Amino acid sequence: MVTLIDNSIDRPRHPEKANRPDTVTLRKPDWIRVKAPGSPIYKETQAIVREHGLVTVCEEAGCPNIGECWSKKHATMMIMGEICTRACAFCNVRTGMPGPLDPNEPENVAKAVEKLGLQHVVITSVDRDDLADGGARHFADVILAIRARNPRTTIEILTPDFLRKEGALEIVVAAKPDVFNHNLETVPSKYLKVRPGARYFHSIRLLQKVKELDPTMFTKSGIMVGLGEERNEVLQLMDDLRSADVDFLTIGQYLQPTKKHHPLIRFVTPDEFKSFATVATAKGFSLVSSSPLTRSSHHAGEDFAALKAARLAKLGH
């Protein structure tokens, strides 16, 4: 028997969360507030994204920095559709069964990068557990298409974990992105509730293997805080990432998308974020971004330049 799904019907964004009890949302402190988007360049960026039929994580994840980034024509492309096969408790991306891959997407992304004039671009994706390679070949095709049309643009990718997808990581690394990012998202004790479809030590091993496959490739990972983690757990996570030779760590405040998502336990203060940055730098990360509004792709271009400078400094140049 074959069951046909009518994708034209408007379905709930998060059907798997519909029966969860509502949680109390905390009032945002002054340091977490941002201006509403709407500048002329923001609207121009929005028009380019729409023209090429692209999905951005900026919109899908409800990023608080969208006004700032799009006003600089910095948009993070989310490939392989807008529907994720996972149901992480923190995430605002739609959950369900995705459609087929768009064969025109790599070229459309490359054209948008050209039109936006990006010197550095971040490409991320939904999880595609339905695909044999988890979407690895599609990632590689997007990287190669951007390179062909924009040879001077540096490319940063933010990938899923490719769990149980043998050979997938090798396909992506062979396409030679400049930065390979895979976020741990939270400390291991929170995985069952926050990131139930993932495995903490698999993600650590994934990052470690990137460096084994290509020691010259920059690696990056990030977490959210405010989910109920303990400080010592964050410090241990730093050590785990350094054992995998990860270059760059980002730490940002978790913001609860809806009352059905994982509750926000507390707002971490700016001073605590500064303390995390001090410790992480001492532990040997080449670059650390730690603040309430830090996100994986926020200021990615400037951060890439700083990463290169830090590597040269270590080499004595």
Side-chain angles (χ1 to χ4, degrees):
M1 179 183 291
V2 177
T3 302
L4 298 178
I5 299 176
D6 183 0
N7 288 319
S8 66
I9 299 173
D10 188 24
R11 287 182 163 74
R13 188 176 184 88
H14 302 290
E16 80 291 345
K17 296 180 175 75
N19 295 322
R20 292 182 181 177
D22 288 355
T23 55
V24 177
T25 53
L26 304 180
R27 176 181 168 81
K28 290 181 181 178
D30 291 339
W31 67 74
I32 207 77
R33 298 179 187 277
V34 295
K35 292 181 179 179
S39 72
I41 299 177
Y42 170 93
K43 292 176 181 177
E44 183 182 346
T45 302
Q46 186 180 55
I48 292 170
V49 168
R50 300 286 183 272
E51 176 188 350
H52 295 283
L54 302 177
V55 179
T56 69
V57 74
C58 321
E59 295 173 292
E60 293 301 313
C63 181
N65 300 316
I66 187 170
E68 177 191 347
C69 293
W70 282 29
S71 292
K72 298 176 181 176
K73 291 192 174 180
H74 295 169
T76 298
M77 316 295 180
M78 191 168 80
I79 60 174
M80 296 191 278
E82 59 186 7
I83 300 176
C84 186
T85 53
R86 304 249 180 120
C88 295
F90 67 89
C91 186
N92 200 37
V93 174
R94 293 177 188 272
T95 299
M97 181 55 69
L101 295 176
D102 178 2
N104 298 316
E105 185 171 54
E107 188 59 26
N108 284 337
V109 170
K111 288 178 181 176
V113 170
E114 181 180 40
K115 190 163 285 190
L116 289 166
L118 297 180
Q119 294 180 317
H120 185 84
V121 62
V122 182
I123 306 295
T124 189
S125 80
V126 291
D127 277 285
R128 291 298 302 257
D129 297 310
D130 57 311
L131 301 175
D133 67 352
R137 172 47 56 193
H138 198 74
F139 252 110
D141 289 344
V142 170
I143 293 168
L144 296 174
I146 294 171
R147 289 252 188 265
R149 189 174 277 270
N150 308 274
R152 294 184 179 179
T153 299
T154 50
I155 302 170
E156 179 173 328
I157 57 171
L158 172 55
T159 76
D161 59 14
F162 300 119
L163 189 63
R164 293 181 285 274
K165 305 295 182 183
E166 193 68 31
L169 180 64
E170 288 81 354
I171 292 171
V172 179
V173 173
K176 291 199 170 293
D178 297 281
V179 181
F180 191 107
N181 185 7
H182 171 65
N183 285 336
L184 293 181
E185 306 294 4
T186 188
V187 299
S189 69
K190 298 298 175 186
Y191 261 54
L192 280 178
K193 287 189 176 181
V194 175
R195 202 178 173 218
R199 300 293 179 268
Y200 176 82
F201 286 106
H202 169 81
S203 288
I204 293 287
R205 175 60 184 144
L206 182 88
L207 289 159
Q208 183 181 45
K209 195 171 181 182
V210 172
K211 274 294 173 69
E212 291 172 1
L213 292 167
D214 186 346
T216 68
M217 192 170 291
F218 289 107
T219 51
K220 177 177 175 179
S221 190
I223 62 166
M224 306 165 289
V225 289
L227 287 156
E229 69 290 325
E230 298 291 337
R231 177 180 169 81
N232 66 328
E233 292 183 293
V234 176
L235 303 189
Q236 180 60 59
L237 177 145
M238 292 179 188
D239 288 337
D240 293 342
L241 286 174
R242 287 303 302 133
S243 72
D245 200 21
V246 170
D247 300 296
F248 183 9
L249 173 65
T250 62
I251 306 175
Q253 172 70 56
Y254 168 61
L255 297 176
Q256 187 176 346
T258 73
K259 292 181 179 180
K260 300 294 185 182
H261 284 75
H262 190 288
L264 167 63
I265 304 304
R266 74 181 185 101
F267 285 104
V268 178
T269 67
D271 284 345
E272 288 176 276
F273 278 105
K274 289 178 183 177
S275 176
F276 281 140
T278 299
V279 174
T281 301
K283 287 180 180 291
F285 288 98
S286 296
L287 194 65
V288 181
S289 179
S290 177
S291 74
L293 289 173
T294 289
R295 295 297 182 267
S296 290
S297 53
H298 195 209
H299 300 152
E302 296 95 319
D303 288 340
F304 178 63
L307 264 180
K308 289 193 294 182
R311 175 174 287 179
L312 288 173
K314 281 186 177 181
L315 294 172
H317 296 295

